Amino acid sequence: NSSRSDAWSDSVTGVSGATVRAEVTAGLDTLASLEAEWRELFGRTGVEPSVSYDWTQALARTQLAPHDRTFVVVLRRGGHLAGVVPMYARGTLVFGQWHHILRPLSELKNTHSDLLLADHSLELVSAFLGALRSIDYRWDSLRISKLLKGHPLTAAIEAAAASLGLHPRRRFRKAAYWIPLPATFEDYLAARSSKFRNHARRAERKLRACGRLDVREVTGADAFDEGYEALLRIERASWKEAHRTSINADVKQAALYREWGRTATVAGHLHLQLLLLDGEPIAHNLGCIHRDTYYYLKTSYAAAHRPQS
C-alpha cells in the first residue's frame, strides 16, 4: 500500500463557475501530507466520524489486507481542499467469476458510510465519480453500503452518476437505531416506565450487595493504555471470548481500537467507561462522541457476574 504511481488529474466546472479539480494517486502515502487541511475540512462539515483523519489512519494501518489496492481521490475548488476520499479495491468470486469492488476506506469497518466532501453539489460529486474512471485498476462496481436513509449524498451520487452515464442502484439493508437523549440521566429515567425503573433499581442493589462499585471514565491520553488493557481483560472474561467475537479474538480489531483510542483522547472524542467491582473491571462501554452524538462501538461484561445483574 506504500507504492505510488504518477497522479492523474482532471477538472469539472460547475454552474457557479467554480472549477473542481480532481486528482487520484495510488497508495496512501499522501494522507499524512493532507492532515492539516483534512482536519479543517472535517471540522466545518457535518460528516460522520468514520471519515475523520484519526479513524481513517487507524483503518489504513490495521484493517487492510496485503492484496488490497489503495487510492486517494483529492478534490480542490479554488485552490482549497473540497474533498478527500481514500479508496480500496478488493476482488471477490461471484459464480466463479472475479468481481472487483471499489469502496471508500471507511467501509472496512461497520460504521455509517459517508464521504468527506465540502458539500453535495453536482460538480463536486461528479468530479469524484469521474476521477474513479482514471484508477489504474480494473474495477467493476463502486459500493457505498451503509449510507443512512435520507442522507443527501444518496441523491447527489445518483444525479452525478446519471450525468456520467453510470447506473446507480439502491439496496435497503439493516436498520440503524438511534434515540434522542435528554440533558440528564434523571430526565432519562423519569421518561421510562415504572417497571423499567423498578427493574433497574433491583439490579443495581443486587450487584452492590457483591461489593464496592465504582465507575471510571477514561478521558485523558495518559490513562488510555491502562484503561484499554482493562477493557481487553473484560472482553476475555465475557461470553464473546468463547464465541470468538470478542475484541481479543481479532488482532486487527484490537489494534484498530487501540490506535484510534490514543488519538481520540487528544481530540476529546473518546468515551470509555469501566465498571469496577472491588477494584476489578467487570464491564465496559466504548464509544465515540462527535457533534453531540454518541456512537456506540463496543460493550461487554464479565460473564461470571451475569447472575448478579
Side-chain angles (χ1 to χ4, degrees):
N1 294 314
S2 61
S3 62
R4 183 178 173 187
S5 66
D6 292 337
W8 171 93
S9 63
D10 196 8
S11 60
V12 174
T13 302
V15 293
S16 63
T19 298
V20 177
R21 187 167 185 82
E23 182 180 78
V24 181
T25 56
L28 300 176
D29 290 349
T30 58
L31 295 187
S33 65
L34 294 167
E35 179 178 357
E37 292 180 289
W38 187 321
R39 292 188 185 279
E40 191 278 330
L41 179 60
F42 178 79
R44 62 182 170 85
T45 53
V47 292
E48 294 280 339
S50 57
V51 296
S52 68
Y53 181 81
D54 295 329
W55 185 259
T56 301
Q57 283 286 38
L59 286 175
R61 291 170 181 155
T62 65
Q63 301 299 298
L64 287 166
H67 58 272
D68 290 335
R69 297 284 297 273
T70 56
F71 312 88
V72 180
V73 180
V74 177
L75 305 168
R76 293 189 179 277
R77 183 165 52 198
H80 299 288
L81 186 69
V84 54
V85 186
M87 311 287 297
Y88 77 101
R90 186 178 291 178
T92 183
L93 281 172
V94 179
F95 298 117
Q97 301 295 319
W98 280 103
H99 184 83
H100 301 270
I101 303 171
L102 190 63
R103 296 179 173 95
L105 201 66
S106 59
E107 299 273 317
L108 280 165
K109 198 63 183 166
N110 187 29
T111 52
H112 298 157
S113 297
D114 207 349
L115 300 180
L116 180 55
L117 302 175
D119 55 58
H120 302 124
S121 62
L122 181 61
E123 59 264 27
L124 195 59
V125 180
S126 295
F128 163 67
L129 292 181
L132 301 183
R133 289 176 161 175
S134 71
I135 288 178
D136 185 22
Y137 177 82
R138 200 210 93 195
W139 57 274
D140 300 297
S141 62
L142 166 68
R143 186 169 297 174
I144 304 176
S145 62
K146 288 177 278 288
L147 279 170
L148 292 174
K149 184 178 180 181
H151 196 304
L153 189 57
T154 302
I157 289 176
E158 290 176 337
S163 70
L164 294 171
L166 302 175
H167 306 287
R169 184 174 61 137
R170 293 192 196 188
R171 286 194 300 176
F172 291 94
R173 303 182 72 185
K174 295 179 180 178
Y177 296 98
W178 62 275
I179 58 173
L181 292 174
T184 68
F185 184 61
E186 289 72 22
D187 291 341
Y188 171 79
L189 278 181
R192 308 275 72 80
S193 67
S194 59
K195 182 179 180 180
F196 177 94
R197 294 195 299 271
N198 290 334
H199 173 77
R201 282 193 289 265
R202 287 196 302 271
E204 184 173 341
R205 284 196 298 268
K206 192 173 184 181
L207 191 56
R208 286 191 181 280
C210 298
R212 187 185 76 258
L213 285 182
D214 297 296
V215 175
R216 180 185 304 167
E217 294 204 6
V218 178
T219 56
D222 56 338
F224 173 75
D225 283 342
E226 182 183 354
Y228 191 67
E229 288 302 320
L231 177 154
L232 293 179
R233 290 203 302 274
I234 296 166
E235 288 280 319
R236 284 192 290 271
S238 73
W239 62 269
K240 298 178 184 179
E241 187 74 3
H243 291 266
R244 305 300 295 164
T245 59
S246 69
I247 294 178
N248 304 279
D250 186 339
V251 175
K252 288 185 176 182
Q253 182 173 226
L256 169 69
Y257 290 130
R258 184 187 301 275
E259 177 141 343
W260 169 77
R262 285 172 173 166
T263 55
T265 56
V266 178
H269 293 156
L270 178 78
H271 178 273
L272 173 56
Q273 279 186 325
L274 301 170
L275 177 64
L276 294 88
L277 177 63
D278 289 333
E280 178 65 24
I282 63 169
H284 77 80
N285 296 319
L286 176 65
C288 171
I289 299 175
H290 177 64
R291 291 193 179 89
D292 295 326
T293 300
Y294 178 64
Y295 295 83
Y296 230 141
L297 295 174
K298 283 287 182 178
T299 184
S300 197
Y301 61 91
H305 296 286
R306 182 174 182 177
Q308 280 74 51
S309 182

